[in-house]
Amino acid sequence: QVQLVESGGGLVQAGGSLRLSCVASRSIFSINAMGWYRQAPGKQRDLVAQISSGGSANFADSVKGRFTISRNNAKNTVYLEMSNLKPEDTAVYYCNARMGYTDYWGQGTQVTVSS
């Protein structure tokens, strides 16, 4: 199993940028997939971006061209770089690690984008 701790959320104006970090309690080198999900009030939790152990990434259509995801295996850390933020990006962002058929989640970090 793995524990995940997110950081980097906050309040930003529309058009601004943030970088989220997710530090894992163990090596992420062999973890099948790591990613970021978000959940706005009253809505379901949706995938934002995901990166495989081989480095392949996929993104939700709503964030393509604005967000990037990367992983630093040496630091057991996954990053989500967010730019040109929009008010609709406001949500709690959760780090996810998928190991086999099991999902592990962090506690979440709030991102609020003001108009």
Side-chain angles (χ1 to χ4, degrees), residues 41-112:
K43 296 188 176 181
Q44 67 181 22
R45 190 175 297 187
D46 291 324
L47 175 69
V48 176
Q50 192 174 63
I51 186 166
S52 71
S53 56
S56 298
N58 61 283
F59 299 89
D61 287 342
S62 60
V63 307
K64 284 181 180 177
R66 300 188 298 122
F67 291 12
T68 60
I69 187 171
S70 60
R71 60 194 290 167
N72 185 326
N73 291 339
K75 294 185 177 182
N76 300 335
T77 302
V78 176
Y79 303 98
L80 184 69
E81 299 269 3
M82 306 183 294
S83 62
N84 191 20
L85 283 160
K86 303 176 181 181
E88 51 264 43
D89 295 317
T90 294
V92 178
Y93 284 69
Y94 296 91
C95 182
N96 168 269
R98 180 159 298 164
M99 300 170 63
Y101 297 104
T102 303
D103 281 315
Y104 296 90
W105 298 94
Q107 81 288 351
T109 185
Q110 176 71 46
V111 172
T112 303

